[in-house]
Every structure is written in C-alpha cells, then in structure tokens.
Amino acid sequence: MRITIIGLGLIGGSAALAWKQAHAEGRFPGGSLSITAVDTNPATLSLALERGIADRVTPSIAEGVLDADLVLLAVPVLAMGAVMKEVDRAAPVDAVITDAGSVRGSVITAVRMNARPERIRHYVPLHPIAGAEKAGLEFATPTLYRGATGVVTPLPESDLEDVALVVDLWRAAGLTVVEMTPEEHDRIYAMVSHVPHMIAFALMDMAVSSPESRTALAAAGGGFRDTTRIAAADARMWADITRANRTAILDGISRFEAALTHLKGLVAADDYEGYRTYFERTAEARREINSSLPPVQAGKSGGDAGKD
Amino acid sequence: MRITIIGLGLIGGSAALAWKQAHAEGRFPGGSLSITAVDTNPATLSLALERGIADRVTPSIAEGVLDADLVLLAVPVLAMGAVMKEVDRAAPVDAVITDAGSVRGSVITAVRMNARPERIRHYVPLHPIAGAEKAGLEFATPTLYRGATGVVTPLPESDLEDVALVVDLWRAAGLTVVEMTPEEHDRIYAMVSHVPHMIAFALMDMAVSSPESRTALAAAGGGFRDTTRIAAADARMWADITRANRTAILDGISRFEAALTHLKGLVAADDYEGYRTYFERTAEARREINSSLPPVQAGKSGGDAGKD
C-alpha cells in the first residue's frame, strides 16, 4: 500500500512511524508499505528521509499523491480545503482520503467544497485524540497513538470498505476507535478539549495580568501546573481550531460560565453545604472516569502543551 | 526535640516521616527527635505506631502537647481555632506553634482568638504547598515535600528564632521556603490554587451535566485529564478552604471570569488575530514558568486529586 502523508508534523510523522513499526512487526493491515511525505518545509523532508520516516519526499502535493492508494491530510484545519483542492486534481480517483483534523463539521465542509463529488465516497474523516508537548516532526514517535482514542465520523456516502481500512490502519497505529456523527464529535470535543483549552488560556491570562504575577507564578504548585499545562499549546493551531469549531466552542464556554456562576453564587452566599455538595458531586465524577483517561506519558510530564 | 503533630493525615504524617528520615541521616536541625501524634481516629494512631511514624500516640490534645517543644497543627483549616484552644490550655507556654493550613488570614485570626496573647510570639504559620492524589495517613510519604515550596507568613509579634527554627525544620523535610504577608499569601493562593480548583470543579460540573456526558467523558484525552485532575480533591477539605478564603476566592473568580469574557468576546466576533494573539501571549507565559513548577511525581500521575 502506498500512503501519502500531507503535512509531516507531529501527527503525520507519528502516524508514519507507527505504521512503519506495525509493518516491521507484521501487523500492518495494508500489505506492503511505502510512505510518501509532502511538506512545505525542506528541512522536514530531509529529516524524514534521514530517519527513514518516509520512503519518498516531495514539496509538491500533485507529485506526492500521483500514485497514492491512501492520502492522509495532516495539515492545520483551516488549510484542509486548499490542500484537498490540490489532492483532488492529482490523486487517483479511487484513492482513499482521510484527515486527522481536530474539528469535523467545518473540515468536512471544506473537503466537500474542494473535491469532486465522486471522491466523497472514498473520504473517511478520523480524528486521533493525541498530542504532545511539542509540535513538529522532531517530536514524532511511533508510540504517540498507543492507548489513545480515535473518533471516526463516516459520511452518509462513505464506502464501508474504505471506512474499515482507515479504522484498521489507525488501530495498527495504536488507537482505540469509536464512531460518532460529525456534529456529536464537534460538540463533545468543544466540551472536553477546546473549552478546557480556552479556560487554561484564560487562567494564565488572569495570572499574568495580576500585579503579583511574578510571586504568584513562582509559588504555584502541582495543581496550577496541571490545570494550565495545555495553555502552552501552539497558539496558531488553536486559533485555527477555534475558528473551525467556533459555534460549539462559544456554546461550551457559555455552559461552563453557567456552571461557574452557580458555584460562585453558592460561595458568595457562603452556603457551605451547597458548595460542599457541589464539590462532592464533581469530585466523585472525576474519580469515576480516572481509569478511562489516557495515562500521563513519559516526556509529557514536563507540563507543556498538548493538542488533545 | 519533642514534636507533637495534631492531625495525622497526609500532611502531618508526611512531615513526621520526612523529619524521621532527616534525623536518621543526621540532617535534623532540632537535635534529638521524638514525635507524638494526636488524632481522633484510633486506626490512624495504630497505623502510626505500627509504621514507626510516631513514637507516642494519643487521642487527647491535652496529653499530647503536655511536654511539647513544638506543636504542628495539621487539621482542617476550619478546625484550627478549636484545636488551638485546647493546645493553649495544655502546652508549655514557650512551645513553638506552627500550622500547615492552606489559608492564612482566617486561620491566624482563629489562632489569635483562641490563644493567650503571650503565645502569639511563638506562633509561626508556614504553609507547605504540597498535596497528593489521596488524603489520609496511608498515603503519607517522606518525599511529599521534596522540591515543593513552603510559604512562611510571620506575624509582627513572631519571635525570630522561632521563625528560623520552623523554617529550618521544613527545609529539612524538603521545602524551599519563601516569605509573604498573610494577605499576599491568601490572594496569591486564591489565584494559583483555590480558583483553579473552583474552575476544575465547574468544568466537571459542565461535563457531567451534559446529555452527552457519558460519550464525552469516555472520549476525553490528556488535556481533560490534566485540567480536571484536581477536581477529584477531597470535597470537605475544599469546602473548608473555600469558607476560610472566601473573599479572595470570590475576587479571583471574578478576575478569571473577566479574562474568559474577554476571550469569549474575541471568539464571538471571530477576531482571529485577536484570539491568536491572546493564545500566543498566554502560551508564552505558560512555557516561561514551566521549569519553575514542581515536577509530576510518580504516583501522582494517575490524575487524582491534589490539595495544592
């Protein structure tokens, strides 16, 4: 199988490494494997060849997808439409297309608007819920997806065999795959990822805007470390995600504000039983899901960014 | 030196273990060491004897402090006043008193109201910024304070030798000690600990109140794991802290709300450059403080609660 990865950053590079490893271990579901990498950065392409992450590299999408059996779009969500347009022109008509974007609704719309209608049956959106403290190919690792969840959001037109293939490929990379509708995906990831990022950014904003910020940040403990870890995320990527999932994010922020306003009211009234019950209920909920959350990964513990 | 620890939970128990270890290694600043533990729970006292955490145990404060050189109050913040009242009656008049409470203003007031005025010069409040995923003596460890910060908030009356002694003891347990006024301490810990806890509780409240909460929580990734870790904290302890530092917490929530409202406005207006700049500024601030934050501790990584 010839896979072309467009955008060889942390996500695309880690997928390449994971598939190479699966292939070496006889677990690759697509038979033979050859990986073509397309990236605008020449240094990234050199590194990919040097490390054996890709078998072929090119800065040209048209050249890269020419004989692809499967194309993975691993570019920023706002770039998906433009990239799809070039892929559409050059890729074989039956090539399977998948993308790893963090947002579904607007990405699917962008892909639809930039591809021939007959291509859409070969398009399978699957979002791997994985990130790391640093962006870029140099941090790519074959283990990035191990123990993580992937969300496949097939379209009404999607060919079932193509869906099965994309799911199998990501499973071979380590993901546990669940299925949702694109709308469910966007509402849910606004709630468990995008809004928590907004909150972490706002918490840092509050802390750095304080006249005591230097003392405060120097004296912060592990609670602050963890609640703000994801605030170190790549600003550009998060601006793109914010634009791409704006409606669900605004709705999620409003729902969070309502939850905090309720708690603030209990504290303002010094309703001790009220806030104790609130804390008990939420603490219990947090403990219950503990075992289902992905473990802290070595190397992530420093507390930097995270895409997920 | 005879140390009496009142309240032998995670904080008091870990202090005992750390001092015993420092003593065994010849690093204990108080010469000889004998530890008396006072706790209302008989099982805790048995465990303390069994494990050699304390040399003597008693459920009676009066008995426990009778010949103490130093008394550590490691009880919930709202219990400090009542406990101090009993200590005041029975402890030698020159015994040094310290407390490990997470809030300063209200605890200092409670101690002042329940101690003879001449005792206050021997009272040195020092808050060790350390917690762990579980409360209770069974999770106590001699390494809890290693690499953590302690905040000493001496009173105008505090005897300087007593301050130096308390600081030295906690340094021997592993803390790096900084000095603040009680007011600074309470404003700063509202900002970097108490308000982040309120936010984590509210985020869990939002997630569990959603009709999609089951799917959402099952599909959450590492970002959600970390931003909500401290929501699993002990509800009763946090209700006490909330009451004890209510004013600063309400002020901190308002300041956080203003920061989030500003961001929400940028997103609502789809001001891409505006929110990208916001993310850049806060991400940069978060990356800058990364090295000064305490590291993730083995065993804490599961993602449960944290007092800090």
Side-chain angles (χ1 to χ4, degrees):
Chain A
M1 165 172 259
R2 292 178 299 265
I3 296 183
T4 299
I5 300 178
I6 303 182
L8 204 65
L10 179 76
I11 295 298
S14 295
L17 286 165
W19 288 330
K20 290 245 164 195
Q21 191 172 80
H23 188 260
E25 292 168 0
R27 297 182 293 104
F28 184 70
S32 66
L33 173 64
S34 113
I35 291 181
T36 301
V38 180
D39 202 283
T40 50
N41 186 342
T44 299
L45 296 181
S46 303
L47 184 67
L49 277 185
E50 242 171 63
R51 295 217 187 145
I53 298 171
D55 303 292
R56 285 191 315 177
V57 302
T58 167
S60 155
I61 294 178
E63 196 184 309
V65 300
L66 211 58
D67 62 352
D69 297 315
L70 182 136
V71 179
L72 166 62
L73 311 179
V75 298
V77 287
L78 295 187
M80 292 284 183
V83 168
M84 187 63 220
K85 191 168 197 161
E86 291 191 59
V87 171
D88 188 52
R89 282 195 198 121
V93 69
D94 59 347
V96 178
I97 314 283
T98 185
D99 81 272
S102 302
V103 176
R104 299 290 64 166
S106 60
V107 167
I108 291 170
T109 302
V111 167
R112 278 192 190 280
M113 286 172 61
N114 289 284
R116 280 169 282 175
E118 58 268 36
R119 235 185 231 300
I120 301 304
R121 63 182 291 255
H122 299 299
Y123 170 47
V124 182
L126 191 152
H127 172 204
I129 317 299
E133 58 266 61
K134 306 281 182 191
L137 182 63
E138 56 272 45
F139 301 103
T141 154
T143 62
L144 184 69
Y145 302 109
R146 265 190 221 157
T149 300
V151 180
V152 66
T153 52
L155 307 187
E157 306 94 312
S158 298
D159 180 286
L160 292 182
E161 275 183 39
D162 292 348
V163 173
L165 173 68
V166 170
V167 167
D168 281 352
L169 282 175
W170 279 108
R171 280 192 180 136
L175 292 185
T176 301
V177 178
V178 300
E179 188 177 324
M180 294 183 194
T181 67
E183 297 71 28
E184 269 180 317
H185 172 281
D186 286 353
R187 278 199 307 273
I188 282 174
Y189 284 94
M191 179 156 66
V192 298
S193 171
H194 308 167
V195 172
H197 273 81
M198 302 301 125
I199 290 169
F201 289 127
L203 194 50
M204 278 309 302
D205 184 42
M206 163 190 141
V208 297
S209 316
S210 149
E212 281 154 331
S213 70
R214 189 175 290 268
T215 320
L217 294 174
F224 192 75
R225 177 198 63 217
D226 286 358
T227 46
T228 58
R229 178 183 67 88
I230 55 176
D234 184 73
R236 178 67 177 277
M237 186 177 82
W238 276 95
D240 282 12
I241 291 173
T242 301
R243 171 161 278 176
N245 201 25
R246 237 179 101 234
T247 313
I249 288 175
L250 283 170
D251 179 57
I253 293 177
S254 297
R255 293 184 47 237
F256 169 77
E257 285 175 330
L260 186 61
T261 299
H262 176 51
L263 173 55
K264 191 186 180 189
L266 295 170
V267 178
D270 200 15
D271 177 357
Y272 184 91
E273 284 310 305
Y275 50 74
R276 190 179 57 75
T277 307
Y278 190 105
F279 298 163
E280 256 165 24
R281 187 167 47 83
T282 53
E284 186 52 34
R286 180 58 180 77
R287 281 183 220 118
E288 263 174 32
I289 61 161
N290 201 36
S291 58
S292 70
L293 292 172
V296 173
Q297 288 194 20
K300 287 197 186 184
S301 35
D304 265 282
K307 161 177 173 294
D308 51 280
Chain B
M1 163 171 261
R2 290 178 299 265
I3 296 183
T4 299
I5 298 177
I6 304 182
L8 204 65
L10 178 75
I11 295 298
S14 295
L17 285 166
W19 288 328
K20 289 246 164 194
Q21 190 171 81
H23 188 259
E25 293 168 0
R27 297 181 293 105
F28 185 71
S32 65
L33 173 64
S34 111
I35 291 180
T36 301
V38 180
D39 201 283
T40 50
N41 185 342
T44 298
L45 296 181
S46 305
L47 184 67
L49 277 185
E50 241 171 64
R51 296 218 187 145
I53 298 172
D55 303 291
R56 286 191 313 176
V57 302
T58 166
S60 154
I61 292 178
E63 197 185 307
V65 301
L66 212 57
D67 62 353
D69 297 314
L70 182 136
V71 180
L72 166 61
L73 311 179
V75 298
V77 287
L78 295 187
M80 292 285 183
V83 168
M84 187 63 220
K85 190 168 199 160
E86 290 191 58
V87 171
D88 188 53
R89 282 198 198 118
V93 69
D94 60 348
V96 178
I97 314 283
T98 185
D99 82 272
S102 302
V103 177
R104 299 291 64 167
S106 61
V107 167
I108 291 170
T109 302
V111 167
R112 277 192 192 282
M113 286 172 62
N114 288 284
R116 280 169 281 175
E118 58 269 36
R119 234 185 233 299
I120 299 305
R121 62 182 291 256
H122 299 298
Y123 170 49
V124 181
L126 191 152
H127 171 203
I129 318 297
E133 57 267 61
K134 306 279 181 192
L137 183 62
E138 57 272 46
F139 301 102
T141 155
T143 63
L144 185 69
Y145 302 110
R146 264 190 222 158
T149 300
V151 180
V152 65
T153 53
L155 307 187
E157 307 94 313
S158 298
D159 181 285
L160 291 183
E161 275 183 40
D162 291 349
V163 173
L165 173 68
V166 170
V167 167
D168 281 351
L169 282 175
W170 279 107
R171 281 191 180 138
L175 291 185
T176 301
V177 178
V178 299
E179 187 176 325
M180 294 182 194
T181 67
E183 297 72 27
E184 269 181 316
H185 172 282
D186 286 354
R187 275 199 309 273
I188 282 174
Y189 284 95
M191 180 156 65
V192 298
S193 171
H194 307 169
V195 171
H197 272 83
M198 302 301 126
I199 289 169
F201 289 128
L203 195 50
M204 278 308 302
D205 184 41
M206 163 189 139
V208 297
S209 315
S210 150
E212 279 154 333
S213 70
R214 188 175 291 268
T215 319
L217 294 174
F224 192 76
R225 178 199 61 219
D226 286 358
T227 47
T228 59
R229 177 183 68 88
I230 55 177
D234 185 73
R236 179 67 176 278
M237 185 176 83
W238 276 94
D240 282 13
I241 290 172
T242 301
R243 171 161 278 175
N245 201 25
R246 235 179 104 235
T247 313
I249 289 174
L250 284 171
D251 179 57
I253 293 177
S254 297
R255 291 184 49 238
F256 169 76
E257 285 175 329
L260 186 61
T261 299
H262 176 50
L263 174 56
K264 192 187 180 190
L266 296 171
V267 178
D270 199 16
D271 177 357
Y272 184 90
E273 284 310 306
Y275 51 75
R276 189 180 57 75
T277 307
Y278 189 106
F279 298 163
E280 255 164 26
R281 187 168 47 82
T282 53
E284 186 51 36
R286 180 58 181 77
R287 283 190 284 262
E288 263 173 30
I289 62 162
N290 200 36
S291 59
S292 70
L293 293 171
V296 173
Q297 287 194 20
K300 287 196 182 182
S301 36
D304 264 283
K307 160 175 174 293
D308 51 282

